[in-house]
Amino acid sequence: SSSSFMGYRSPVICIMGHVDTGKTKLLDKIRRTNVQEGEAGGITQQIGATFFPDIALQEQTRKVDEDFDLEVPGVLIIDTPGHESFNNLRMRGSSLADLAILVIDIMHGLEPQTVESLELLKKRRCPFIIALNKIDILYQWNAKQYTSVQEALSRQQQSVRDEFQTRYNNVVLQLNERGLNCNLYWENDDYRSSVSIVPTSALTGEGVPDLLYMILKLTQDLMGDKLEVREKLECTVIEVKNIEGLGTTIDVVLLNGTLKEGDTIVLAGLGGPIVTTIRALLTPQPMKEMRVKNEYVHHAQISTSMGVKISAPGLDDAVAGTELLVVGPDDDLDELKEEVSEG
Ligand code: GTP
Ligand code: MG
Ligand code: NA
């Protein structure tokens, strides 16, 4: 195209997998928050979104590769539920993703929603890595907070490393049986044909630097063009929520383009297209989960890639999972209404 290079946007990463494999806990460990402990029954029931700025990422990636060059402004990570009844939310979350993290519990191996997630990712041709989580449960694991996983493994006594190898081999075999090649990420010399496995612990943070490093390395190396900032709006509604003091709000993922306070927006509603005006554009603080009630930051305008809460009148019957459009000076409102209805 003729448009000039405007820099890179933050990649959008979707974290998915079977219930209780540690998806939210991993994000908590990166955020240094306790979202998971506040969940009813410890079960995630909504899509979440957290923005991680480059500085926070760099602090971790440096532990894996001192010279790693961060080219993106951050990453936006989408949390999804693993419970079997939330297939629609996994589909919604993964449809937004540039890359996914599939979390597998090293003690359990492949489970029903692991397989379901694998199928979903394959269907969408969404590249992914595997976090082989809960390594700290290996018998007599010797933990050291937030260290790189190679360092963590080499610190273990032989019996622990043997148990790791046995469990790792089992999971790899199960994945092979589903037609997937995979390797420990530091032994993987072909990211395109083999899936990288990152052993992690959400309890100790071991492997967390590696997980962030791999997300960034893969998105930067494999998707450069796809991550170039584009002016055209790409914005999807992920949740519709009532917030005390704000009324019904929508949480959106803004992938490309700009939203401004006062913009006229069009989106799908149960009773037909909704046309309304943005009253407030809110984000949580960096490293805070959007689905948890926060001190929101107000923005006059906001650009890619970000999780944004929109407050506007008339959102009561907004439909999640659909596109949001902004009415520009040259746009025909009826055409836009038709576009969101076809969604
Ligand atoms: P859903 O969102 O409900 O599908 O679950 P999840 O995948 O987000 O898992 P969650 O973060 O809720 O963790 C489930 C349980 O496993 C919690 O009790 C966590 O404390 C525990 N857990 C998660 N990761 C680890 C880990 O690496 N090590 C240990 N020992 N426990 C973990
Ligand atoms: Mg969860
Ligand atoms: Na859980």
PDB file of all heavy atoms in Angstrom, residues 18-25 36 39 42-44 80-83 133-134 136-137 201-203, ligand 1:
ATOM      1  N   HIS A  18      -7.816 -25.685  29.280  1.00  0.00           N
ATOM      2  CA  HIS A  18      -8.786 -26.363  30.152  1.00  0.00           C
ATOM      3  C   HIS A  18      -8.954 -25.626  31.478  1.00  0.00           C
ATOM      4  O   HIS A  18      -8.058 -24.890  31.907  1.00  0.00           O
ATOM      5  CB  HIS A  18      -8.301 -27.798  30.406  1.00  0.00           C
ATOM      6  CG  HIS A  18      -9.357 -28.682  30.991  1.00  0.00           C
ATOM      7  ND1 HIS A  18     -10.339 -29.262  30.217  1.00  0.00           N
ATOM      8  CD2 HIS A  18      -9.589 -29.073  32.270  1.00  0.00           C
ATOM      9  CE1 HIS A  18     -11.122 -29.986  30.998  1.00  0.00           C
ATOM     10  NE2 HIS A  18     -10.693 -29.885  32.251  1.00  0.00           N
ATOM     11  N   VAL A  19     -10.079 -25.830  32.129  1.00  0.00           N
ATOM     12  CA  VAL A  19     -10.366 -25.156  33.395  1.00  0.00           C
ATOM     13  C   VAL A  19      -9.279 -25.475  34.434  1.00  0.00           C
ATOM     14  O   VAL A  19      -8.773 -26.602  34.501  1.00  0.00           O
ATOM     15  CB  VAL A  19     -11.779 -25.545  33.912  1.00  0.00           C
ATOM     16  CG1 VAL A  19     -11.842 -26.999  34.357  1.00  0.00           C
ATOM     17  CG2 VAL A  19     -12.222 -24.624  35.047  1.00  0.00           C
ATOM     18  N   ASP A  20      -8.894 -24.457  35.178  1.00  0.00           N
ATOM     19  CA  ASP A  20      -7.957 -24.577  36.296  1.00  0.00           C
ATOM     20  C   ASP A  20      -6.528 -24.989  35.911  1.00  0.00           C
ATOM     21  O   ASP A  20      -5.791 -25.523  36.745  1.00  0.00           O
ATOM     22  CB  ASP A  20      -8.495 -25.554  37.360  1.00  0.00           C
ATOM     23  CG  ASP A  20      -9.576 -24.910  38.224  1.00  0.00           C
ATOM     24  OD1 ASP A  20      -9.770 -23.676  38.107  1.00  0.00           O
ATOM     25  OD2 ASP A  20     -10.216 -25.625  39.009  1.00  0.00           O
ATOM     26  N   THR A  21      -6.143 -24.769  34.669  1.00  0.00           N
ATOM     27  CA  THR A  21      -4.751 -25.047  34.307  1.00  0.00           C
ATOM     28  C   THR A  21      -3.828 -23.913  34.772  1.00  0.00           C
ATOM     29  O   THR A  21      -2.605 -24.090  34.783  1.00  0.00           O
ATOM     30  CB  THR A  21      -4.600 -25.238  32.776  1.00  0.00           C
ATOM     31  OG1 THR A  21      -5.295 -24.182  32.110  1.00  0.00           O
ATOM     32  CG2 THR A  21      -5.170 -26.575  32.332  1.00  0.00           C
ATOM     33  N   GLY A  22      -4.429 -22.756  35.147  1.00  0.00           N
ATOM     34  CA  GLY A  22      -3.617 -21.666  35.705  1.00  0.00           C
ATOM     35  C   GLY A  22      -3.505 -20.433  34.826  1.00  0.00           C
ATOM     36  O   GLY A  22      -2.584 -19.632  35.003  1.00  0.00           O
ATOM     37  N   LYS A  23      -4.476 -20.246  33.927  1.00  0.00           N
ATOM     38  CA  LYS A  23      -4.425 -19.108  32.995  1.00  0.00           C
ATOM     39  C   LYS A  23      -4.445 -17.767  33.743  1.00  0.00           C
ATOM     40  O   LYS A  23      -3.594 -16.908  33.526  1.00  0.00           O
ATOM     41  CB  LYS A  23      -5.627 -19.188  32.015  1.00  0.00           C
ATOM     42  CG  LYS A  23      -5.638 -20.465  31.189  1.00  0.00           C
ATOM     43  CD  LYS A  23      -6.866 -20.554  30.297  1.00  0.00           C
ATOM     44  CE  LYS A  23      -8.176 -20.801  31.039  1.00  0.00           C
ATOM     45  NZ  LYS A  23      -8.245 -22.114  31.719  1.00  0.00           N
ATOM     46  N   THR A  24      -5.451 -17.618  34.611  1.00  0.00           N
ATOM     47  CA  THR A  24      -5.584 -16.344  35.329  1.00  0.00           C
ATOM     48  C   THR A  24      -4.429 -16.151  36.301  1.00  0.00           C
ATOM     49  O   THR A  24      -3.894 -15.055  36.465  1.00  0.00           O
ATOM     50  CB  THR A  24      -6.934 -16.285  36.061  1.00  0.00           C
ATOM     51  OG1 THR A  24      -7.979 -16.516  35.108  1.00  0.00           O
ATOM     52  CG2 THR A  24      -7.152 -14.936  36.737  1.00  0.00           C
ATOM     53  N   LYS A  25      -4.031 -17.255  36.924  1.00  0.00           N
ATOM     54  CA  LYS A  25      -2.932 -17.185  37.893  1.00  0.00           C
ATOM     55  C   LYS A  25      -1.623 -16.766  37.205  1.00  0.00           C
ATOM     56  O   LYS A  25      -0.824 -16.033  37.784  1.00  0.00           O
ATOM     57  CB  LYS A  25      -2.784 -18.567  38.538  1.00  0.00           C
ATOM     58  CG  LYS A  25      -2.288 -18.546  39.945  1.00  0.00           C
ATOM     59  CD  LYS A  25      -3.326 -18.039  40.932  1.00  0.00           C
ATOM     60  CE  LYS A  25      -2.665 -17.775  42.274  1.00  0.00           C
ATOM     61  NZ  LYS A  25      -3.578 -17.000  43.147  1.00  0.00           N
ATOM     62  N   GLN A  36      -7.409 -13.881  40.495  1.00  0.00           N
ATOM     63  CA  GLN A  36      -7.962 -15.237  40.549  1.00  0.00           C
ATOM     64  C   GLN A  36      -8.623 -15.529  41.891  1.00  0.00           C
ATOM     65  O   GLN A  36      -9.683 -16.151  41.945  1.00  0.00           O
ATOM     66  CB  GLN A  36      -6.849 -16.265  40.259  1.00  0.00           C
ATOM     67  CG  GLN A  36      -7.373 -17.656  39.890  1.00  0.00           C
ATOM     68  CD  GLN A  36      -7.596 -18.563  41.086  1.00  0.00           C
ATOM     69  OE1 GLN A  36      -6.981 -18.386  42.138  1.00  0.00           O
ATOM     70  NE2 GLN A  36      -8.490 -19.539  40.942  1.00  0.00           N
ATOM     71  N   GLU A  39     -12.290 -14.536  42.207  1.00  0.00           N
ATOM     72  CA  GLU A  39     -13.290 -15.104  41.307  1.00  0.00           C
ATOM     73  C   GLU A  39     -14.212 -16.067  42.055  1.00  0.00           C
ATOM     74  O   GLU A  39     -13.742 -16.830  42.892  1.00  0.00           O
ATOM     75  CB  GLU A  39     -12.608 -15.876  40.166  1.00  0.00           C
ATOM     76  CG  GLU A  39     -11.863 -14.987  39.200  1.00  0.00           C
ATOM     77  CD  GLU A  39     -11.209 -15.761  38.067  1.00  0.00           C
ATOM     78  OE1 GLU A  39     -10.742 -16.901  38.294  1.00  0.00           O
ATOM     79  OE2 GLU A  39     -11.165 -15.225  36.966  1.00  0.00           O
ATOM     80  N   GLY A  42     -13.325 -19.658  42.032  1.00  0.00           N
ATOM     81  CA  GLY A  42     -12.030 -19.728  41.353  1.00  0.00           C
ATOM     82  C   GLY A  42     -12.147 -19.979  39.864  1.00  0.00           C
ATOM     83  O   GLY A  42     -11.196 -20.395  39.211  1.00  0.00           O
ATOM     84  N   ILE A  43     -13.349 -19.692  39.332  1.00  0.00           N
ATOM     85  CA  ILE A  43     -13.633 -19.976  37.928  1.00  0.00           C
ATOM     86  C   ILE A  43     -13.793 -18.663  37.164  1.00  0.00           C
ATOM     87  O   ILE A  43     -14.544 -17.794  37.578  1.00  0.00           O
ATOM     88  CB  ILE A  43     -14.962 -20.782  37.805  1.00  0.00           C
ATOM     89  CG1 ILE A  43     -14.847 -22.124  38.531  1.00  0.00           C
ATOM     90  CG2 ILE A  43     -15.369 -20.969  36.364  1.00  0.00           C
ATOM     91  CD1 ILE A  43     -14.083 -23.179  37.794  1.00  0.00           C
ATOM     92  N   THR A  44     -13.095 -18.527  36.054  1.00  0.00           N
ATOM     93  CA  THR A  44     -13.256 -17.347  35.203  1.00  0.00           C
ATOM     94  C   THR A  44     -14.540 -17.484  34.403  1.00  0.00           C
ATOM     95  O   THR A  44     -14.810 -18.542  33.829  1.00  0.00           O
ATOM     96  CB  THR A  44     -12.053 -17.198  34.255  1.00  0.00           C
ATOM     97  OG1 THR A  44     -10.859 -17.122  35.035  1.00  0.00           O
ATOM     98  CG2 THR A  44     -12.179 -15.952  33.399  1.00  0.00           C
ATOM     99  N   THR A  80      -9.375 -15.909  28.991  1.00  0.00           N
ATOM    100  CA  THR A  80     -10.652 -16.572  28.674  1.00  0.00           C
ATOM    101  C   THR A  80     -10.931 -17.658  29.710  1.00  0.00           C
ATOM    102  O   THR A  80     -10.011 -18.157  30.356  1.00  0.00           O
ATOM    103  CB  THR A  80     -10.629 -17.233  27.272  1.00  0.00           C
ATOM    104  OG1 THR A  80      -9.683 -18.323  27.271  1.00  0.00           O
ATOM    105  CG2 THR A  80     -10.275 -16.242  26.187  1.00  0.00           C
ATOM    106  N   PRO A  81     -12.202 -18.030  29.866  1.00  0.00           N
ATOM    107  CA  PRO A  81     -12.535 -19.108  30.794  1.00  0.00           C
ATOM    108  C   PRO A  81     -12.208 -20.471  30.184  1.00  0.00           C
ATOM    109  O   PRO A  81     -12.282 -20.650  28.970  1.00  0.00           O
ATOM    110  CB  PRO A  81     -14.055 -18.987  30.962  1.00  0.00           C
ATOM    111  CG  PRO A  81     -14.465 -17.728  30.260  1.00  0.00           C
ATOM    112  CD  PRO A  81     -13.409 -17.435  29.256  1.00  0.00           C
ATOM    113  N   GLY A  82     -11.875 -21.432  31.052  1.00  0.00           N
ATOM    114  CA  GLY A  82     -11.615 -22.784  30.572  1.00  0.00           C
ATOM    115  C   GLY A  82     -12.795 -23.721  30.781  1.00  0.00           C
ATOM    116  O   GLY A  82     -12.830 -24.823  30.222  1.00  0.00           O
ATOM    117  N   HIS A  83     -13.756 -23.277  31.583  1.00  0.00           N
ATOM    118  CA  HIS A  83     -14.907 -24.145  31.864  1.00  0.00           C
ATOM    119  C   HIS A  83     -15.641 -24.494  30.576  1.00  0.00           C
ATOM    120  O   HIS A  83     -15.798 -23.645  29.691  1.00  0.00           O
ATOM    121  CB  HIS A  83     -15.859 -23.451  32.845  1.00  0.00           C
ATOM    122  CG  HIS A  83     -16.919 -24.351  33.375  1.00  0.00           C
ATOM    123  ND1 HIS A  83     -18.077 -24.628  32.676  1.00  0.00           N
ATOM    124  CD2 HIS A  83     -16.989 -25.071  34.517  1.00  0.00           C
ATOM    125  CE1 HIS A  83     -18.808 -25.470  33.369  1.00  0.00           C
ATOM    126  NE2 HIS A  83     -18.166 -25.758  34.500  1.00  0.00           N
ATOM    127  N   ASN A 133       2.274 -25.683  32.509  1.00  0.00           N
ATOM    128  CA  ASN A 133       2.237 -24.962  33.785  1.00  0.00           C
ATOM    129  C   ASN A 133       2.254 -25.896  35.004  1.00  0.00           C
ATOM    130  O   ASN A 133       1.982 -27.079  34.896  1.00  0.00           O
ATOM    131  CB  ASN A 133       0.987 -24.069  33.810  1.00  0.00           C
ATOM    132  CG  ASN A 133       1.019 -23.062  34.922  1.00  0.00           C
ATOM    133  OD1 ASN A 133       2.085 -22.529  35.268  1.00  0.00           O
ATOM    134  ND2 ASN A 133      -0.134 -22.788  35.521  1.00  0.00           N
ATOM    135  N   LYS A 134       2.531 -25.316  36.129  1.00  0.00           N
ATOM    136  CA  LYS A 134       2.545 -25.958  37.452  1.00  0.00           C
ATOM    137  C   LYS A 134       3.791 -26.833  37.665  1.00  0.00           C
ATOM    138  O   LYS A 134       3.739 -27.836  38.381  1.00  0.00           O
ATOM    139  CB  LYS A 134       1.254 -26.774  37.717  1.00  0.00           C
ATOM    140  CG  LYS A 134      -0.042 -25.983  37.504  1.00  0.00           C
ATOM    141  CD  LYS A 134      -1.245 -26.596  38.186  1.00  0.00           C
ATOM    142  CE  LYS A 134      -2.518 -25.824  37.839  1.00  0.00           C
ATOM    143  NZ  LYS A 134      -3.714 -26.319  38.519  1.00  0.00           N
ATOM    144  N   ASP A 136       6.110 -26.273  39.487  1.00  0.00           N
ATOM    145  CA  ASP A 136       6.503 -26.255  40.906  1.00  0.00           C
ATOM    146  C   ASP A 136       5.910 -27.419  41.691  1.00  0.00           C
ATOM    147  O   ASP A 136       6.347 -27.696  42.808  1.00  0.00           O
ATOM    148  CB  ASP A 136       6.056 -24.933  41.547  1.00  0.00           C
ATOM    149  CG  ASP A 136       4.542 -24.795  41.543  1.00  0.00           C
ATOM    150  OD1 ASP A 136       3.972 -24.442  40.481  1.00  0.00           O
ATOM    151  OD2 ASP A 136       3.908 -25.077  42.561  1.00  0.00           O
ATOM    152  N   ILE A 137       4.903 -28.092  41.110  1.00  0.00           N
ATOM    153  CA  ILE A 137       4.299 -29.229  41.828  1.00  0.00           C
ATOM    154  C   ILE A 137       5.179 -30.482  41.721  1.00  0.00           C
ATOM    155  O   ILE A 137       5.012 -31.430  42.475  1.00  0.00           O
ATOM    156  CB  ILE A 137       2.866 -29.519  41.299  1.00  0.00           C
ATOM    157  CG1 ILE A 137       1.967 -28.289  41.520  1.00  0.00           C
ATOM    158  CG2 ILE A 137       2.232 -30.701  42.035  1.00  0.00           C
ATOM    159  CD1 ILE A 137       0.527 -28.495  41.097  1.00  0.00           C
ATOM    160  N   SER A 201       5.595 -21.828  36.011  1.00  0.00           N
ATOM    161  CA  SER A 201       4.861 -21.927  37.271  1.00  0.00           C
ATOM    162  C   SER A 201       4.225 -20.582  37.573  1.00  0.00           C
ATOM    163  O   SER A 201       4.923 -19.569  37.676  1.00  0.00           O
ATOM    164  CB  SER A 201       5.779 -22.304  38.428  1.00  0.00           C
ATOM    165  OG  SER A 201       5.100 -22.039  39.654  1.00  0.00           O
ATOM    166  N   ALA A 202       2.899 -20.599  37.732  1.00  0.00           N
ATOM    167  CA  ALA A 202       2.195 -19.363  38.079  1.00  0.00           C
ATOM    168  C   ALA A 202       2.333 -19.066  39.565  1.00  0.00           C
ATOM    169  O   ALA A 202       1.998 -17.991  40.019  1.00  0.00           O
ATOM    170  CB  ALA A 202       0.721 -19.471  37.702  1.00  0.00           C
ATOM    171  N   LEU A 203       2.828 -20.053  40.287  1.00  0.00           N
ATOM    172  CA  LEU A 203       3.002 -19.866  41.728  1.00  0.00           C
ATOM    173  C   LEU A 203       4.336 -19.174  42.015  1.00  0.00           C
ATOM    174  O   LEU A 203       4.408 -18.267  42.831  1.00  0.00           O
ATOM    175  CB  LEU A 203       2.970 -21.232  42.407  1.00  0.00           C
ATOM    176  CG  LEU A 203       2.495 -21.237  43.855  1.00  0.00           C
ATOM    177  CD1 LEU A 203       1.011 -20.957  43.919  1.00  0.00           C
ATOM    178  CD2 LEU A 203       2.809 -22.582  44.510  1.00  0.00           C
TER     179      LEU A 203
HETATM  180  P1  GTP B   1     -10.413 -21.022  34.614  1.00  0.00           P
HETATM  181  O1  GTP B   1     -10.243 -19.621  34.167  1.00  0.00           O
HETATM  182  O2  GTP B   1     -11.521 -21.151  35.584  1.00  0.00           O
HETATM  183  O3  GTP B   1     -10.516 -21.950  33.469  1.00  0.00           O
HETATM  184  O4  GTP B   1      -9.076 -21.457  35.429  1.00  0.00           O
HETATM  185  P2  GTP B   1      -7.592 -20.951  35.135  1.00  0.00           P
HETATM  186  O5  GTP B   1      -6.988 -21.717  34.033  1.00  0.00           O
HETATM  187  O6  GTP B   1      -7.592 -19.475  35.020  1.00  0.00           O
HETATM  188  O7  GTP B   1      -6.826 -21.423  36.449  1.00  0.00           O
HETATM  189  P3  GTP B   1      -6.638 -20.551  37.775  1.00  0.00           P
HETATM  190  O8  GTP B   1      -5.721 -19.423  37.531  1.00  0.00           O
HETATM  191  O9  GTP B   1      -7.990 -20.254  38.285  1.00  0.00           O
HETATM  192  O10 GTP B   1      -5.898 -21.599  38.713  1.00  0.00           O
HETATM  193  C1  GTP B   1      -6.568 -22.760  39.148  1.00  0.00           C
HETATM  194  C2  GTP B   1      -5.947 -23.275  40.415  1.00  0.00           C
HETATM  195  O11 GTP B   1      -4.639 -23.778  40.160  1.00  0.00           O
HETATM  196  C3  GTP B   1      -5.799 -22.221  41.515  1.00  0.00           C
HETATM  197  O12 GTP B   1      -6.038 -22.826  42.749  1.00  0.00           O
HETATM  198  C4  GTP B   1      -4.351 -21.810  41.392  1.00  0.00           C
HETATM  199  O13 GTP B   1      -3.815 -21.349  42.611  1.00  0.00           O
HETATM  200  C5  GTP B   1      -3.692 -23.127  40.967  1.00  0.00           C
HETATM  201  N1  GTP B   1      -2.502 -22.889  40.150  1.00  0.00           N
HETATM  202  C6  GTP B   1      -2.459 -22.213  38.984  1.00  0.00           C
HETATM  203  N2  GTP B   1      -1.226 -22.225  38.479  1.00  0.00           N
HETATM  204  C7  GTP B   1      -0.457 -22.889  39.338  1.00  0.00           C
HETATM  205  C8  GTP B   1       0.929 -23.242  39.360  1.00  0.00           C
HETATM  206  O14 GTP B   1       1.729 -22.947  38.480  1.00  0.00           O
HETATM  207  N3  GTP B   1       1.367 -23.981  40.432  1.00  0.00           N
HETATM  208  C9  GTP B   1       0.537 -24.376  41.432  1.00  0.00           C
HETATM  209  N4  GTP B   1       1.053 -25.084  42.427  1.00  0.00           N
HETATM  210  N5  GTP B   1      -0.772 -24.070  41.441  1.00  0.00           N
HETATM  211  C10 GTP B   1      -1.261 -23.333  40.409  1.00  0.00           C
END
